[in-house]
Amino acid sequence: MNFATAPGASLRAVFSAVMLGVALSCAPMAAPAFARAAPESFADLVDQVSNSVVNITTSTTIAAPTGDVPNFPPGSPFEDLFRDFGLPGPNGPNGPNGRGAPRRSNALGSGFVISEDGYIVTNNHVIEDADEIEIEFFSGRRLEATLVGTDPKTDIALLKVEPETPLPFVNFGNSDKVRVGDWVMAMGNPLGQGFSASAGIISARNRELSGSYDDYLQTDAAINRGNSGGPLFDMEGEVVGVNTAILSPNGGSIGIGFSMASNVVSKVVDQLMNFGETRRGWLGVKIQDVTPDMAEAMGLDKPEGALVSEVPDGPAKEAGIEAGDVITSFDGGEVKSTRDLVRRVADAPVGEKVRVVVLRDGESKTILVTLGRREQAEGEEAPAEVPAPQEAEKDMLGLTVTPLTDAMRTELGLTKEAQGLIIKSIDETSTAYEKGLRTGDLITEIGQQPVATVSDFEARVQDAKDAGRKSVLLLIRRGGEPRFVALPVE
């Protein structure tokens, strides 16, 4: 079973999104006493919005094959076999014997009009790599569309047509107000069958598939291939989601579909319309969620916030945010998790000064940060670290640790400036092993303090014991990536 996008006839439009072993949940939401009853009919709603929903057909040129193909003589029965299965036989129109030629591939999808002058929203995977994009309206009229911009991270694309008269359009609704159990209606072009409507309820909210900015509404309204890019309407006729993916063992609808929430889409569309690209805020930190044992080790009241594991060169470092800080508030909004912070930062305007509240050494501290731009910052490398002196190895907390040597740096692919303690061996029955620590991990901090010697290790553990804490927080690096791990000190 896998997740698949819901566009039509093109295999390139099908993608795997997440493994089913990942548990996703949604907090229960109490329905007020005035909850709306099931409608007797959706016909009025269909009449209201159908003129704003469009079918999308794309055409893509696929180059002729260039690989080796068996050379059968003309008239060979193998030529029929290649032709019947659509394979590039040597003497066919795409074959290597002098008659090779590119071919055209078509794909189907859906979309919806958001302005009378012809802006249309769809999924990026519907129009990706397309040479030509044709829009079919409910009336049967067809117009060629141009691509304004795309955002692969949310799988959203913005198109533009040039109509002779104003077009009927629909507005975005507030997806944050949608509740589990609310009625919704999906419209689009399922399996290339043309304009079609299906209805159901919101099954869950805040679903994640594969992206950093994911915020999907789950619905049991029937969504199939070809519905991708189409709107998910609330009962007021406002778009609360863009139909994007389905969970299915066979490629058809089984009542688990996903629509990107309109509050995410509307922000992306505004940026594509104004700039032709996205411009997301960038704080410049590597973060991880705070687990209960980490919270205990740091003396926090509850496991909330985003724990800063590394601060490369960028806005956060310039403002004074440090590794080990727990970000609890961003721009006036509470931060409960890393996902919460990523979304808030991305939504903030580039160049804006924002207040970031962090917990550091048990005290709250407010830091003013001027945000950079995420798209420009992607791919930047983390700074090098300071060298550490050599010292004898030590056994503690189920670990045997030793300072780095030049030979270890070479063997582990570390820079000569890298510092810390290497885990030389680990007791596989220990809590440290259960927590995921392994031989070769580099410990750079203990108790949110740098470690350069084994005596530093002992001192940090003793400090935690003296403070009455049950755990101590380690910052480790594996393959260059930082991660905090809390280990019991008893």
Side-chain angles (χ1 to χ4, degrees):
M1 187 179 295
N2 63 6
F3 283 96
T5 53
S10 173
L11 290 178
R12 64 181 174 80
V14 181
F15 69 100
S16 174
V18 293
M19 295 182 64
L20 292 179
V22 179
L24 299 173
S25 63
C26 179
M29 303 181 71
F34 54 85
R36 179 179 298 173
E40 293 182 1
S41 172
F42 289 87
D44 290 341
L45 181 58
V46 171
D47 289 341
Q48 175 185 340
V49 300
S50 58
N51 285 329
S52 301
V53 181
V54 299
N55 295 341
I56 298 177
T57 303
T58 66
S59 181
T60 304
T61 301
I62 299 178
T66 57
D68 293 335
V69 178
N71 189 16
F72 304 122
S76 167
F78 289 105
E79 276 199 308
D80 294 335
L81 178 66
F82 270 62
R83 183 181 61 252
D84 291 343
F85 284 92
L87 300 175
N91 303 308
N94 292 326
N97 294 343
R99 298 197 300 274
R103 60 186 178 89
R104 303 291 289 174
S105 175
N106 295 322
L108 304 173
S110 305
F112 55 98
V113 182
I114 61 168
S115 68
E116 64 179 11
D117 59 343
Y119 282 100
I120 295 171
V121 174
T122 186
N123 279 144
N124 176 59
H125 71 256
V126 170
I127 53 82
E128 191 173 17
D129 299 325
D131 300 323
E132 298 176 0
I133 304 171
E134 184 181 67
I135 306 299
E136 181 188 2
F137 296 87
F138 189 75
S139 63
R141 179 171 51 158
R142 297 174 181 265
L143 291 175
E144 294 296 320
T146 57
L147 179 62
V148 176
T150 66
D151 179 34
K153 286 183 169 58
T154 56
D155 198 12
I156 294 299
L158 183 65
L159 309 177
K160 182 70 166 65
V161 295
E162 301 298 335
E164 296 179 355
T165 58
L167 296 175
F169 63 93
V170 289
N171 296 313
F172 286 111
N174 186 350
S175 56
D176 288 343
K177 292 184 177 180
V178 175
R179 300 169 301 154
V180 174
D182 279 351
W183 283 98
V184 287
M185 183 179 73
M187 290 195 72
N189 181 22
L191 303 175
Q193 295 302 302
F195 293 90
S196 177
S198 60
I201 64 168
I202 295 294
S203 306
R205 291 172 43 87
N206 305 124
R207 293 300 204 197
E208 296 179 69
L209 299 186
S210 61
S212 301
Y213 310 109
D214 285 359
D215 185 10
Y216 284 100
L217 301 174
Q218 180 183 326
T219 179
D220 65 354
I223 297 174
N224 286 282
R225 293 192 175 113
N227 274 117
S228 270
L232 187 72
F233 290 107
D234 63 13
M235 294 297 97
E236 302 300 323
E238 294 186 322
V239 178
V240 293
V242 177
N243 303 323
T244 301
I246 58 175
L247 173 60
S248 174
N250 54 20
S253 174
I254 60 170
I256 304 180
F258 300 92
S259 300
M260 182 62 76
S262 60
N263 284 5
V264 174
V265 177
S266 61
K267 294 183 178 72
V268 170
V269 168
D270 284 345
Q271 293 189 351
L272 294 179
M273 191 178 296
N274 291 325
F275 310 115
E277 60 186 357
T278 55
R279 297 186 179 181
R280 292 189 171 94
W282 177 58
L283 185 58
V285 292
K286 291 187 176 181
I287 53 177
Q288 64 184 90
D289 284 325
V290 179
T291 62
D293 51 0
M294 289 179 184
E296 196 282 330
M298 292 185 289
L300 303 179
D301 294 333
K302 50 187 177 181
E304 291 185 355
L307 176 59
V308 179
S309 59
E310 184 177 27
V311 189
D313 291 337
K317 186 174 184 179
E318 293 173 2
I321 293 178
E322 301 175 359
D325 287 348
V326 178
I327 298 175
T328 59
S329 175
F330 178 86
D331 198 21
E334 186 178 8
V335 173
K336 292 185 174 295
S337 65
T338 57
R339 181 169 177 258
D340 195 13
L341 179 61
V342 168
R343 289 278 309 281
R344 290 182 181 276
V345 173
D347 288 345
V350 174
E352 181 180 278
K353 290 186 176 181
V354 298
R355 295 184 181 276
V356 180
V357 179
V358 304
L359 283 177
R360 182 184 299 169
D361 299 326
E363 296 183 357
S364 180
K365 183 178 178 65
T366 299
I367 300 174
L368 196 63
V369 183
T370 301
L371 297 180
R373 184 182 172 194
R374 178 68 187 178
E375 290 82 358
Q376 294 177 342
E378 287 179 337
E380 291 186 1
E381 295 182 356
E385 297 174 341
V386 182
Q390 298 184 25
E391 213 174 291
E393 63 186 43
K394 181 72 176 181
D395 294 333
M396 289 190 73
L397 307 182
L399 307 172
T400 301
V401 296
T402 184
L404 280 171
T405 65
D406 289 339
M408 290 177 184
R409 291 184 179 93
T410 301
E411 181 181 351
L412 297 172
L414 301 173
T415 64
K416 62 181 180 180
E417 291 83 11
Q419 72 158 357
L421 301 173
I422 283 291
I423 299 178
K424 187 176 180 181
S425 62
I426 185 170
D427 180 359
E428 294 190 7
T429 65
S430 67
T431 302
Y433 191 86
E434 292 178 2
K435 295 280 188 178
L437 296 182
R438 295 294 183 267
T439 300
D441 287 348
L442 175 65
I443 303 173
T444 61
E445 289 184 10
I446 300 178
Q448 296 179 273
Q449 298 292 327
V451 290
T453 67
V454 293
S455 59
D456 290 340
F457 192 113
E458 294 176 294
R460 303 293 179 266
V461 172
Q462 190 59 49
D463 289 344
K465 292 180 178 179
D466 293 343
R469 292 177 181 163
K470 299 178 181 179
S471 303
V472 65
L473 200 64
L474 277 65
L475 176 60
I476 66 105
R477 290 179 181 274
R478 181 183 302 163
E481 292 298 316
R483 183 166 68 97
F484 280 103
V485 177
L487 292 183
V489 295
E490 297 178 348

